[in-house]
Amino acid sequence: MSYVILTDSACDLSPEVLSSFGVAIKSLTFRFTDSDKEYSNDEMPVSEFYEQMRQKRVARTAAVNTEIFCEFFASYLKEGNDVLYLGFSSGLSNTYNAARLAAEQLAAEYPERKILTVDTLCASAGQGLLVKLAVDRKNAGKTIEEVAAYVADTRLHICHWFTVDDLDYLKRGGRVSPLVAMAGNLLGIKPVLHVDNEGHLIKVGTARGRRGSLLSIAQKYDELAIDPAAGTVYISHADCRADAELLAKMLKDRHGVEVEIITDVGTVIGAHSGPGTLALFFLGKER
Amino acid sequence: MSQNEKQNTDTFLDGQLLAKMAQGGAAQLHSNAEEVNKLNVFPVPDGDTGDNMRMTIESGIAALENSTSNNLAEVMEKLSHGMLLGARGNSGVILSQFFAGVAKGLSSYSKADAAAVGNALSLGVTQAYTSVMTPTEGTILTVAREAVEYAVARVTPDSTVRTLFSDLVKEMYASLQRTPEILAVLKEAGVVDSGGAGLFYIMDGFYRVLNGDEIAEIPAVEMTKKPVLDLSAFGPDSEMTYGYCTELLLQLQSSKVDVDAFDHTVITEFLEQIGDSIVAFKTGSIVKLHVHTLTPDRVLGFCHQFGEFLTVKIENMSVQHNENEELRQENGRAQRKKYGIVSVATGDGISEIFRELGVDAIVEGGQTQNPSTNDFINAFGRVNAEHIFVFPNNGNIIMAAKQAAEIYKDASIHVVESKNLGAGYVALSAMDPDAESEQVLLDGFNAAIETVSTGYVSPSIRDAEINGVQIRNGDFIGFVGKEMLVAAPDKSAAVGALAERMLADGRYMMTVFYGKDSDADERAALESYMQATHPEVEAYFLDGGQDIYPFILVVE
């Protein structure tokens, strides 16, 4: 039986990459607090978005709601496809829950179709990386159940290590506690964070300087990567491509690994983490 | 003076004589402290050995105030205890340890002859040596050891205390003159060892008293800074909200309590009902107390049942600026934390930056004003934590911090050996209040220190040639640790050249602390220089407000 893999815009994969994977997304939306205009992911170039944030405009995001998921899923179900939706971490957004409710509602309407949803507990290109691995399995002929099981088994091996330029963005969005933000926001001190097993953002440590934070992230790779020389590695960055390339070079120098994708941190994640966010994703022994 | 008494004075050292000799030693050092300060390896106006040793012995003298005892052991013990608490700088700590050793040697003597005093001096030397992790020859240690060995070897049954000190002082002077032969840095700078010189002046003063010379009165010294009082802050209609900062030293009295068995928590528990910000500890038979309360009369009344007061200080906190600041900080930490931090800092900017980094109590001081052992003990008392990490941030302050750590018992004290501002600043960023154990934190601090190098820019106060760097009086010099790197007539040129030297070998981050003596133009010049020549370096510019050094560069 044919099935499609679907995800949402938090995966931070470009339209080109998504189309090469054969994966469709629904976009979370954002708006600036000083305006009512609602934007979807692709309605504003990321460079402009971060420029607005630097100008102190505050962006808020909104989860995809159940109704939109119902329409989204139904469009595939109608054509006789089963649906496997891999959703943005429930620890960071209600989007996954909306998708799960949509799947429950649609189950009665399409009793002969399979509608599976998996909470990836991932974000940004970590979610993107997991989607990619799922697509690989699908292309290798695995069934929808097998792929869903694979995703559930693998999600806690997707390591997310990242740094931000200014913890105030995460604090404002309620993604880290004010106390953590204060301790990590001193001049020259950069936080090192990751996404934990519940899909929450956790500040793990601090580093001296931007370069120090990149080194800490590279050290996490040394420590945790399952296949450091040849594993699939993604990097996402919020308007700091040079740093992303520097990090890629550090990994290449240390392990000979080529980073497969360097992608933009999109508006959904970027609205919370701010310009200067730099994140590394890879398969590790544990998160 | 009868013949018999004269004989006695000459032959035996007793309590009153020791007290007079100590006065003489302090006076002699006082007159020469500035000269000792100038015996500085670098031509930087930051020498402080003379002041440190002077304040250390003066703290011992202060402990003898009102003492009428003629018992040698008692007087020596008081003197030495006062010096231990008042010790500042490495030379001050070594001096205090020397006297502590002597006090041990005399602990069973109500009066002592030359042989016994000689033995005690030998013990003093031993203790001075053991107080230093890696003793360096050519310093105060050598001067003390050689002089004591010389004098003790010449003790005969006919010796008197006066002849002992005559030999001691004579050889001490000779030994001092030899220090540049032992320690190359002294020779290069053309000076004798400053700590050795301080010890010489003290012992010389001791000898002068024995010799019957007139000794100068020591001018009264202000040992602690006066807080800023704003009397207009409390008027006829003011409401008493902050209470009184009440501090006292209570001498426990055998007539009132069992002094040895007395547990000061009795006082603490009472104070908790009528005040806060309570600090109390017992050293020997003395209880030291600090409390903020609306009813200081009740504090005095309660404590009076256990002894008599040595000192009492009661200040209305509405008019007492420093205390308000302290109170504000203390309100935030009613609960005992797992980890606390005490750091030395000088300059308003640096203190504020350190507070932001999580320092609970700042010990004022730095290069020119080294804090005493007691300053550290007081700071420990202001931090309510199980483990207290101490950042001395100056090589010359580490020993006083360690001495305080030895004495203080109400928390586990860990001295992090940060030898300069940069080391402390960078290590403090590794603070993690949720760390698993104190060892994890210590390892983190020590690892951080390893990555830092701190460079100082200062005016030079004399011509010199150090490390092959030609320096003229008035030049600006740049150095890292004990390594002189650059000298230039122009401040901006000096700081630029120092930055270049420090940024070799792939360093990627530089934090600059601006001192009082750098103006806006010089600061802007440095910032644009960095941007133009080192855009790859992450540079941060902070207003440190420190004296002496217009620029301190911290490179990682």
Side-chain angles (χ1 to χ4, degrees):
Chain A
M1 191 58 65
S2 76
Y3 64 96
V4 293
I5 295 179
L6 305 175
T7 186
D8 52 65
S9 62
C11 74
D12 286 347
L13 296 174
S14 68
E16 297 74 29
V17 170
L18 285 167
S19 96
S20 76
F21 288 172
V23 170
I25 62 166
K26 264 299 152 202
S27 188
L28 283 81
T29 56
F30 72 90
R31 65 177 182 84
F32 292 106
T33 50
D34 56 8
S35 142
D36 284 338
K37 176 159 173 51
E38 192 104 3
Y39 297 83
S40 75
N41 210 31
D42 48 5
E43 276 180 304
M44 180 182 280
V46 281
S47 55
E48 188 188 333
F49 176 74
Y50 290 122
E51 191 45 42
Q52 298 283 333
M53 284 187 81
R54 289 198 183 95
Q55 305 297 325
K56 308 280 178 221
R57 287 188 85 188
V58 177
R60 289 277 156 75
T61 55
V64 182
N65 67 29
T66 303
E67 201 180 313
I68 289 176
F69 272 123
C70 280
E71 279 172 31
F72 183 46
F73 294 165
S75 67
Y76 295 93
L77 299 169
K78 273 182 211 151
E79 291 167 7
N81 287 301
D82 291 342
V83 164
L84 172 58
Y85 166 75
L86 308 180
F88 181 24
S89 170
S90 61
L92 296 171
S93 167
N94 289 324
T95 299
Y96 173 75
N97 197 41
R100 192 181 56 80
L101 294 174
E104 275 176 20
Q105 284 180 29
L106 292 169
E109 218 174 308
Y110 298 91
E112 73 287 8
R113 295 266 72 83
K114 292 171 189 162
I115 313 165
L116 303 184
T117 63
V118 185
D119 177 1
T120 64
L121 300 171
C122 290
S124 187
Q127 182 182 340
L129 174 58
L130 189 54
V131 167
K132 186 253 190 225
L133 295 171
V135 168
D136 286 348
R137 297 313 177 274
K138 176 174 185 271
N139 292 344
K142 302 288 183 193
T143 65
I144 187 170
E145 288 85 1
E146 285 169 335
V147 174
Y150 168 81
V151 169
D153 288 346
T154 308
R155 59 187 176 178
L156 295 186
H157 292 283
I158 303 285
C159 294
H160 302 56
W161 286 93
F162 68 107
T163 185
V164 297
D165 229 19
D166 185 346
L167 270 176
D168 271 348
Y169 292 110
L170 286 172
K171 184 181 74 176
R172 210 178 289 141
R175 262 62 181 183
V176 297
S177 76
L179 200 70
V180 166
M182 196 179 73
N185 234 4
L186 296 157
L187 208 55
I189 298 183
K190 298 297 175 190
V192 177
L193 306 99
H194 91 143
V195 176
D196 71 5
N197 286 345
E198 280 80 49
H200 298 124
L201 303 185
I202 300 288
K203 175 171 160 280
V204 176
T206 53
R208 297 282 312 156
R210 179 74 166 177
R211 180 75 164 271
S213 68
L214 266 54
L215 270 172
S216 296
I217 291 171
Q219 280 161 5
K220 284 295 170 189
Y221 184 83
D222 299 346
E223 189 185 312
L224 294 171
I226 289 172
D227 184 2
T232 308
V233 180
Y234 283 9
I235 289 174
S236 65
H237 69 90
D239 216 16
C240 54
R241 176 132 204 134
D243 287 343
E245 282 166 4
L246 181 60
L247 178 60
K249 184 172 179 307
M250 282 180 184
L251 298 183
K252 184 166 186 184
D253 290 348
R254 285 159 173 255
H255 303 283
V257 69
E258 291 285 351
V259 173
E260 193 168 297
I261 285 180
I262 295 181
T263 186
D264 290 314
V265 172
T267 53
V268 174
I269 309 289
H272 296 291
S273 62
T277 304
L278 180 68
L280 175 70
F281 310 96
F282 56 94
L283 269 173
K285 292 163 211 154
E286 59 184 0
R287 278 198 172 176
Chain B
M1 189 180 284
S2 75
Q3 186 57 39
N4 194 27
E5 273 174 358
K6 170 79 183 140
Q7 180 75 25
N8 196 41
T9 309
D10 236 21
T11 315
F12 289 103
L13 177 62
D14 61 22
Q16 285 302 301
L17 180 57
L18 174 67
K20 263 192 236 156
M21 287 164 70
Q23 294 271 359
Q28 189 64 3
L29 179 57
H30 195 103
S31 321
N32 294 282
E34 199 40 49
E35 188 163 326
V36 177
N37 285 342
K38 284 184 189 153
L39 298 173
N40 198 6
V41 171
F42 278 169
V44 174
D46 66 354
D48 54 1
T49 306
D51 291 332
N52 282 337
M53 295 181 79
R54 175 179 63 73
M55 287 194 261
T56 303
I57 189 156
E58 281 170 2
S59 168
I61 303 287
L64 294 182
E65 212 176 316
N66 303 327
S67 159
T68 51
S69 170
N70 194 29
N71 181 302
L72 177 61
E74 271 178 38
V75 174
M76 188 66 217
E77 169 57 31
K78 273 195 186 136
L79 177 68
S80 124
H81 190 67
M83 288 175 71
L84 277 181
L85 290 180
R88 287 167 202 265
N90 291 349
S91 46
V93 172
I94 293 171
L95 182 70
S96 72
Q97 290 287 338
F98 175 72
F99 273 82
V102 176
K104 268 185 207 158
L106 296 175
S107 61
S108 56
Y109 292 91
S110 59
K111 57 181 185 175
D113 62 11
V117 174
N119 278 337
L121 289 168
S122 301
L123 280 180
V125 170
T126 308
Q127 180 144 347
Y129 266 83
T130 45
S131 71
V132 184
M133 198 90 79
T134 41
T136 307
E137 293 299 341
T139 63
I140 181 173
L141 294 172
T142 312
V143 171
R145 179 176 54 77
E146 290 185 345
V148 170
E149 281 171 359
Y150 179 91
V152 167
R154 275 157 189 75
V155 171
T156 66
D158 293 334
S159 292
T160 63
V161 174
R162 196 176 65 79
T163 60
L164 175 76
F165 272 88
S166 164
D167 287 336
L168 182 80
V169 168
K170 189 176 109 193
E171 178 58 19
M172 201 166 260
Y173 184 77
S175 174
L176 180 62
Q177 302 311 313
R178 290 193 296 269
T179 53
E181 303 306 321
I182 304 173
L183 214 49
V185 287
L186 298 175
K187 187 163 200 173
E188 199 175 355
V191 295
V192 296
D193 179 67
S194 54
L199 181 64
F200 165 75
Y201 284 120
I202 292 170
M203 288 299 139
D204 189 42
F206 273 45
Y207 174 62
R208 282 166 190 254
V209 170
L210 287 168
N211 214 25
D213 296 358
E214 264 317 293
I215 47 165
E217 276 286 302
I218 319 175
V221 187
E222 203 58 64
M223 300 296 287
T224 48
K225 275 188 295 177
K226 277 258 183 277
V228 184
L229 291 184
D230 176 9
L231 297 181
S232 65
F234 198 86
D237 302 315
S238 298
E239 221 175 294
M240 177 44 97
T241 44
Y242 291 114
Y244 296 90
C245 172
T246 307
E247 287 183 0
L248 55 89
L249 279 179
L250 175 69
Q251 174 63 62
L252 298 171
Q253 296 264 279
S254 317
S255 57
K256 295 186 174 184
V257 288
D258 178 346
V259 173
D260 290 334
F262 183 77
D263 182 356
H264 67 274
T265 52
V266 177
I267 298 181
T268 318
E269 278 162 15
F270 172 76
L271 293 180
E272 275 165 1
Q273 302 164 29
I274 61 163
D276 58 17
S277 300
I278 298 157
V279 177
F281 54 88
K282 183 185 170 199
T283 15
S285 60
I286 296 174
V287 175
K288 182 161 185 179
L289 206 70
H290 168 275
V291 60
H292 295 166
T293 178
L294 292 166
T295 52
D297 51 324
R298 294 183 64 192
V299 177
L300 296 183
F302 186 79
C303 291
H304 204 195
Q305 57 181 309
F306 308 118
E308 297 296 339
F309 303 109
L310 297 173
T311 61
V312 173
K313 189 196 89 179
I314 299 173
E315 276 165 352
N316 182 330
M317 288 193 290
S318 300
V319 301
Q320 222 273 39
H321 171 75
N322 289 350
E323 283 291 334
N324 279 345
E325 179 71 7
E326 198 176 295
L327 185 69
R328 185 177 63 76
Q329 287 171 27
E330 280 171 7
N331 281 340
R333 52 174 172 75
Q335 292 256 304
R336 190 166 171 90
K337 302 194 285 189
K338 185 150 188 214
Y339 306 119
I341 302 181
V342 167
S343 177
V344 177
T346 174
D348 291 349
I350 291 173
S351 299
E352 192 51 41
I353 291 161
F354 277 23
R355 282 207 185 89
E356 280 178 14
L357 281 170
V359 171
D360 299 286
I362 299 276
V363 176
E364 284 286 335
Q367 189 59 39
T368 44
Q369 185 212 348
N370 292 165
S372 71
T373 299
N374 208 31
D375 291 340
F376 279 104
I377 292 173
N378 287 337
F380 299 159
R382 297 203 301 271
V383 179
N384 189 9
E386 221 173 292
H387 295 276
I388 300 175
F389 297 94
V390 190
F391 293 79
N393 301 336
N394 184 314
N396 200 33
I397 297 178
I398 291 176
M399 286 185 74
K402 286 190 165 173
Q403 183 149 296
E406 288 279 314
I407 295 172
Y408 193 75
K409 298 296 171 218
D410 287 352
S412 169
I413 312 282
H414 311 275
V415 179
V416 180
E417 297 200 19
S418 55
K419 291 194 175 144
N420 51 56
L421 170 73
Y425 173 68
V426 172
L428 278 169
S429 352
M431 177 60 189
D432 173 8
D434 302 322
E436 243 170 85
S437 70
E438 65 279 11
Q439 194 56 46
V440 168
L441 277 177
L442 268 178
D443 290 348
F445 294 146
N446 288 326
I449 285 174
E450 292 302 312
T451 65
V452 193
S453 110
T454 304
Y456 294 86
V457 172
S458 156
S460 171
I461 51 167
R462 62 167 187 260
D463 289 352
E465 186 188 343
I466 302 175
N467 272 1
V469 179
Q470 293 288 342
I471 301 160
R472 285 169 194 281
N473 189 1
D475 273 2
F476 286 88
I477 54 176
F479 56 93
V480 172
K482 294 188 164 130
E483 203 183 350
M484 182 66 63
L485 293 175
V486 300
D490 177 66
K491 210 185 289 178
S492 290
V495 70
L498 180 63
E500 288 303 330
R501 290 291 299 271
M502 293 179 71
L503 287 169
D505 66 11
R507 305 298 194 111
Y508 57 83
M509 191 168 170
M510 184 167 98
T511 310
V512 179
F513 290 89
Y514 291 132
K516 280 182 186 150
D517 298 327
S518 59
D519 63 31
D521 289 347
E522 290 159 351
R523 296 175 181 199
L526 178 63
E527 285 169 31
S528 51
Y529 176 83
M530 284 302 298
Q531 207 144 43
T533 58
H534 291 284
E536 80 289 357
V537 171
E538 238 173 282
Y540 297 95
F541 302 90
L542 305 172
D543 198 356
Q546 71 272 11
D547 289 321
I548 301 178
Y549 312 109
F551 301 98
I552 301 177
L553 310 185
V554 179
V555 167
E556 299 163 62

